[in-house]
Amino acid sequence: MEDPILYAIPVFIVFILLELGIAWKIKRDAYELKDSAANITMGLGSAIIGLGVKSVVLILFLGIYQYRIFDIGFQWWAWLILLFADDFSFYWHHRLSHQIRLLWAAHVNHHSSQKYNLSVALRQSWTEVIYKYIFWMWLPLIGFHPLMVMTMISINLIYQFFVHTEVVKKMGVLEYFMNTPSHHRVHHASNIRYLDKNHAGIFIIWDKLFGTFSPEDEDERPVYGITRNINTHNPLKIASHEFADLWKDVRKADNLKDKILYIIMPPGWSPDGSTLTSNQLRALDKKDSRV
């Protein structure tokens, strides 16, 4: 099996250069050399690790497929259904990666750039690939062939590359049901009102259905990065900083319950309230705005 992402790489390069040219023309400081280099390094590392992991996952999925409930086959309508089923799986994988701190430790590097451009799409995790495919295991069990599932996962990621830009503003009627650059800018923002919103891959319908949607407000421009920026371009620190912080919190916890809660509760949770989750920050922000 050849990964469609391999064929998309030249397209990625062309569009990054195009965006860079547009940013230069309109005098927007969209790119920063060290940041972009870190993004590309993270992407290369993720791709190399992913080669081995995907081989194991394909074997696992083929094993599950032997016990499939239905024989769906490769018909055109099966691909259409799989498009939505895959995106549904991505939504829950992505959402829980923001709500469970151990998973956030693997995912946070994608959010740690304080820039927002197409190269940020390449800032992929080195550890997320180890657990993410759990959220897709139900698809071969239902009857989607593992090659179809793995191909659709890559197609979804290719689409997501193009929403990492500030060059494209609103996209008219597509804003109602597609994940667009505007929607994804919200997702990458560290503004309190935007935290943990718009987890969609291709279709924004899941966020609207499950209550995690927020439109981009023209009066509040997204501020990119994370709530505590790490201010480093070192790929090793980018990949590991939240694991290190999580370990520190687990070690300092007074009892086993709090140690476990540090791992499974949302980022920012603390037993004494000294640090806050995104929902707690939002509630406090709303309370302050009413005063």
Side-chain angles (χ1 to χ4, degrees):
M1 183 186 70
E2 294 188 23
D3 194 330
I5 292 177
L6 296 177
Y7 295 97
I9 290 175
V11 179
F12 293 166
I13 295 172
V14 169
F15 273 83
I16 287 174
L17 292 174
L18 180 62
E19 183 187 45
L20 185 59
I22 294 173
W24 176 80
K25 185 176 181 179
I26 63 177
K27 294 181 173 57
R28 172 170 286 179
D29 187 24
Y31 280 82
E32 196 266 320
L33 181 59
K34 290 183 178 180
D35 183 76
S36 297
N39 296 339
I40 294 170
T41 303
M42 295 301 297
L44 289 173
S46 178
I48 292 170
I49 296 169
L51 286 174
V53 173
K54 286 181 180 179
S55 299
V56 174
V57 169
L58 181 58
I59 294 171
L60 174 62
F61 280 9
L62 286 168
I64 295 173
Y65 187 66
Q66 302 307 308
Y67 302 94
R68 60 190 178 275
I69 300 172
F70 305 105
D71 283 309
I72 295 176
F74 289 83
Q75 294 87 349
W76 68 267
W77 53 265
W79 285 98
L80 181 61
I81 295 173
L82 181 58
L83 173 65
F84 286 91
D86 163 75
D87 203 51
F88 178 79
S89 300
F90 176 83
Y91 170 83
W92 283 106
H93 145 65
H94 196 184
R95 179 173 176 176
L96 291 177
S97 293
H98 279 251
Q99 294 181 339
I100 297 174
R101 190 173 176 194
L102 179 61
L103 304 188
W104 173 246
H107 180 67
V108 64
N109 68 266
H110 183 64
H111 288 264
S112 58
S113 174
Q114 292 175 252
K115 297 289 185 179
Y116 191 74
N117 53 60
L118 291 174
S119 78
V120 173
L122 308 179
R123 196 181 182 100
Q124 295 295 315
S125 173
W126 292 353
T127 51
E128 198 174 55
V129 292
I130 297 172
Y131 74 85
K132 66 179 287 185
Y133 294 102
I134 293 172
F135 293 90
W136 280 264
M137 290 175 64
W138 67 284
L139 295 177
L141 181 61
I142 286 178
F144 290 105
H145 194 282
L147 288 179
M148 294 176 66
V149 176
M150 299 299 285
T151 300
M152 191 59 71
I153 290 173
S154 292
I155 291 172
N156 196 312
L157 287 175
I158 291 170
Y159 177 88
Q160 290 180 51
F161 170 82
F162 296 98
V163 299
H164 291 82
T165 182
E166 289 192 297
V167 172
V168 178
K169 301 306 178 184
K170 299 282 187 176
M171 298 185 70
V173 68
L174 294 180
E175 299 288 332
Y176 290 104
F177 61 93
M178 299 295 292
N179 187 22
T180 64
S182 175
H183 294 325
H184 206 60
R185 285 193 289 270
V186 166
H187 182 71
H188 273 259
S190 61
N191 313 50
I192 291 176
R193 66 178 297 183
Y194 292 151
L195 290 175
D196 297 340
K197 298 295 184 180
N198 299 359
H199 302 288
I202 296 177
F203 301 106
I204 201 66
I205 57 176
W206 312 119
D207 289 286
K208 293 185 175 182
L209 182 63
F210 297 113
T212 52
F213 173 72
S214 175
E216 182 181 25
D217 191 334
E218 294 181 359
D219 295 327
E220 185 169 355
R221 188 169 182 262
V223 177
Y224 304 112
I226 50 183
T227 53
R228 288 189 302 164
N229 288 307
I230 55 177
N231 298 313
T232 180
H233 301 299
N234 184 329
L236 293 177
K237 291 184 178 179
I238 292 172
S240 64
H241 73 92
E242 182 60 17
F243 285 109
D245 287 346
L246 173 58
W247 176 241
K248 290 177 183 177
D249 286 339
V250 169
R251 286 188 63 187
K252 75 178 183 182
D254 295 329
N255 54 70
L256 179 60
K257 177 184 175 182
D258 287 344
K259 291 179 186 295
I260 294 173
L261 289 177
Y262 265 123
I263 294 171
I264 65 174
M265 289 297 282
W269 179 87
S270 59
D272 58 0
S274 58
T275 56
L276 303 175
T277 67
S278 60
N279 285 336
Q280 290 171 330
L281 287 170
R282 243 188 307 273
L284 185 63
D285 188 54
K286 288 181 179 179
K287 181 180 178 181
D288 290 342
S289 66
R290 291 196 297 266
V291 175

